[in-house]
């Protein structure tokens, strides 16, 4: 089989064609437009905030104006976008006057405080935090998976709204699993994640670099972001552990999958692990189906899935890796094989990799914004 097969686009493409909705993958490539929406980026100096700007630029998202917003500490800094310098403004309750779309990535507490304020002023907020994900009145959206969840929310109506971006692990997982779910119906999903430093932000990425140097030089590692040594190590995800023994990251996968699929009965269990990788998460996914699904059919389904690319060369032992998807838009799937513990082709194992900052955060948010136009 081919070492690299994609869904009709280059693996390195920013576009992600969708068979049901062309608007999902539309790359507008217009940038400044007098009649375009006014934008605001909240948390612009952070890792995801910077990626917002990169994706907006790459996809030529149309806009007539853009505000760069961050904390008081970052106010006054200069941010470059479309070959122009923009001064970062302090985020306040008045920041959203006249703003059509606001992309938020500044943490849950900031989103809870300013998201509703922005929506009240007529701004459509696309929030990257966990603040509103499980709110039954807020759509939780992966454009390739459930664009219908945000039906009726559009720029130009004068109505503000909140839209939640799912957790990065959920996005990467469901990009690959949903096409299979539509075909054979997933009854149970077991996910093990291998999550990169990028998921904890720029400071964690910097600490991984610093620790690697320190350990190689025989020095004790500096542990400011994580209590455990990160370099040359792996450990359970740093999210808080709940009374049921799962941590918050694991329960996000459980709850968000059920909401996005509108299926409260699907069984999901997860174990989330931090690994010393700079960016891009990997996930091992075991699936049990209601209806039979053989691996060749699954491979064909995934080959035609929007935003998915197959890297599955058994002969050469070449499969998805974080490095292969870093700074890429598509989610890569490999190790596609029948689960030998289940009879009747009722189970599959797959391995998925996706860039946490890109599709796991900024790209997904910008794709949501594209659906608002």
């Amino acid at each position: 089989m081919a070492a690299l097969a994609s869904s009709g686009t280059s693996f390195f493409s920013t576009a992600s064609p969708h068979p049901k909705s062309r608007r999902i993958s539309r790359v507008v490539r217009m940038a400044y437009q007098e009649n375009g929406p006014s934008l605001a980026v909240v948390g612009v100096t952070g890792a995801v905030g910077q990626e917002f700007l990169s994706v907006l630029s790459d996809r030529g998202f149309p806009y007539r104006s853009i505000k760069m917003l961050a904390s008081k500490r970052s106010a006054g800094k200069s941010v470059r976008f479309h070959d122009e310098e923009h001064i970062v403004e302090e985020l306040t309750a008045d920041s959203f006057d006249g703003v059509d779309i606001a992309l938020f990535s500044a943490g849950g507490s900031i989103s809870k405080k300013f998201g509703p304020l922005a929506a009240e002023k007529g701004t459509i907020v696309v929030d990257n935090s966990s603040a509103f994900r499980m709110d039954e009145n807020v759509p939780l959206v992966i454009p390739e998976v459930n664009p219908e969840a945000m039906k009726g929310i559009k720029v130009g109506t004068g109505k503000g709204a909140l839209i939640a971006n799912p957790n990065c692990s959920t996005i990467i997982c469901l990009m690959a699993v949903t096409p299979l779910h539509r075909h054979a119906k997933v009854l149970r999903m077991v996910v093990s994640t291998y999550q990169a430093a990028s998921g904890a932000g720029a400071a964690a990425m910097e600490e991984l670099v610093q620790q690697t140097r320190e350990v190689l030089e025989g020095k004790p590692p500096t542990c400011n972001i994580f209590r455990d040594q990160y370099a040359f190590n792996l450990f359970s995800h740093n999210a808080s552990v709940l009374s049921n023994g799962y941590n918050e990251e694991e329960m996000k996968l459980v709850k968000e999958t059920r909401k996005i699929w509108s299926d409260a009965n699907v069984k999901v269990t997860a174990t989330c692990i931090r690994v010393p990788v700079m960016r891009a998460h990997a996930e091992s996914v075991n699936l049990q189906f209601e209806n039979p699904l053989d691996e060749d059919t699954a491979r064909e389904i995934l080959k035609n899935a929007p935003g998915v690319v197959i890297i599955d060369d058994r002969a050469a032992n070449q499969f998805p890796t974080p490095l292969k998807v870093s700074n890429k838009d598509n989610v890569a799937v490999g190790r596609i094989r029948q689960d030998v513990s289940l009879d009747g082709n009722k189970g599959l194992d797959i391995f998925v990799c996706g860039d946490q900052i890109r599709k796991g955060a900024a790209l997904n948010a910008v794709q949501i914004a594209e659906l608002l136009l």
Side-chain angles (χ1 to χ4, degrees):
M1 74 191 65
L4 184 63
S6 72
S7 54
T9 57
S10 163
F11 176 48
F12 304 100
S13 170
T14 58
S16 303
H18 191 283
K20 294 183 179 179
S21 176
R22 292 179 182 273
R23 299 200 63 180
I24 289 172
S25 61
R26 186 181 60 182
V27 180
V28 189
R29 302 213 181 283
M30 294 179 187
Y32 175 77
Q33 234 185 25
E34 192 172 333
N35 61 347
S38 56
L39 305 179
V41 178
V42 179
V44 71
T45 56
V48 176
Q50 287 294 293
E51 200 71 17
F52 278 148
L53 298 184
S54 176
V55 175
L56 288 168
S57 179
D58 289 348
R59 295 177 73 84
F61 192 92
Y63 69 99
R64 71 173 182 271
S65 64
I66 186 167
K67 284 185 177 182
M68 308 297 183
L69 301 172
S71 66
K72 185 176 183 179
R73 184 179 64 252
S74 296
K77 291 182 179 179
S78 179
V79 172
R80 193 165 184 79
F81 179 63
H82 278 177
D83 296 323
E84 292 184 2
E85 296 295 329
H86 297 259
I87 301 302
V88 176
E89 301 176 33
E90 180 184 355
L91 174 64
T92 70
D94 298 323
S95 295
F96 303 98
D97 293 339
V99 172
D100 295 314
I101 301 172
L103 304 176
F104 272 63
S105 189
S109 60
I110 297 297
S111 293
K112 286 179 180 179
K113 179 179 179 180
F114 290 99
L117 289 174
E120 287 174 9
K121 294 193 173 190
T123 301
I124 301 175
V125 173
V126 184
D127 181 48
N128 194 55
S129 79
S130 61
F132 308 109
R133 287 175 186 159
M134 299 315 300
D135 186 325
E136 62 181 14
N137 297 313
V138 176
L140 182 66
V141 178
I142 304 172
E144 295 90 343
V145 173
N146 64 331
E148 69 282 354
M150 50 186 287
K151 183 179 179 181
I153 304 176
K154 291 286 183 183
V155 167
T157 64
K159 295 180 180 179
L162 294 168
I163 302 172
N165 219 27
N167 187 47
C168 51
S169 298
T170 306
I171 293 173
I172 291 165
C173 180
L174 296 193
M175 282 290 293
V177 175
T178 301
L180 306 176
H181 173 59
R182 287 173 178 155
H183 184 90
K185 187 173 173 56
V186 171
L187 297 178
R188 184 170 187 261
M189 179 167 71
V190 181
V191 185
S192 298
T193 72
Y194 312 89
Q195 296 183 224
S198 58
M205 298 169 77
E206 292 168 5
E207 183 160 290
L208 177 56
V209 172
Q210 180 181 357
Q211 282 191 9
T212 302
R213 290 197 183 104
E214 289 169 340
V215 172
L216 289 174
E217 292 171 0
K219 299 176 182 177
T222 301
C223 298
N224 292 324
I225 305 302
F226 303 118
R227 284 176 291 184
D228 292 283
Q229 177 181 318
Y230 201 8
F232 306 101
N233 192 24
L234 54 83
F235 48 86
S236 183
H237 193 281
N238 52 294
S240 298
V241 179
L242 307 174
S243 60
N244 64 359
Y246 286 73
N247 63 43
E248 289 180 347
E249 186 80 358
E250 292 158 352
M251 290 308 299
K252 287 175 185 177
L253 257 168
V254 175
K255 294 177 181 179
E256 292 177 20
T257 297
R258 290 172 176 167
K259 181 175 178 177
I260 292 166
W261 282 356
S262 299
D263 184 353
N265 296 317
V266 64
K267 298 181 185 301
V268 180
T269 185
T271 301
C272 295
I273 303 296
R274 285 277 185 212
V275 296
V277 170
M278 192 55 66
R279 67 183 281 167
H281 293 350
E283 302 180 4
S284 170
V285 185
N286 174 263
L287 301 166
Q288 181 179 353
F289 300 103
E290 181 176 281
N291 303 305
L293 179 59
D294 64 83
E295 65 181 51
D296 290 333
T297 302
R299 203 170 279 110
E300 194 63 27
I301 290 169
L302 290 169
K303 188 167 68 173
N304 293 292
V308 173
V309 62
I310 295 176
I311 305 176
D312 199 44
D313 188 342
R314 292 177 181 176
N317 202 5
Q318 288 294 307
F319 303 107
T321 69
L323 284 177
K324 288 175 183 173
V325 300
S326 289
N327 295 295
K328 307 295 190 301
D329 287 354
N330 291 323
V331 169
V333 186
R335 300 301 316 279
I336 304 164
R337 63 202 188 278
Q338 220 73 53
D339 180 350
V340 297
S341 72
L342 290 171
D343 297 327
N345 288 342
K346 293 288 187 75
L348 281 175
D349 287 296
I350 61 175
F351 189 70
V352 187
C353 286
D355 189 310
Q356 176 275 332
I357 306 179
R358 198 84 180 177
K359 180 55 185 172
L363 172 62
N364 199 78
V366 173
Q367 286 176 299
I368 290 172
E370 288 173 353
L371 289 176
L372 300 171
L373 303 180

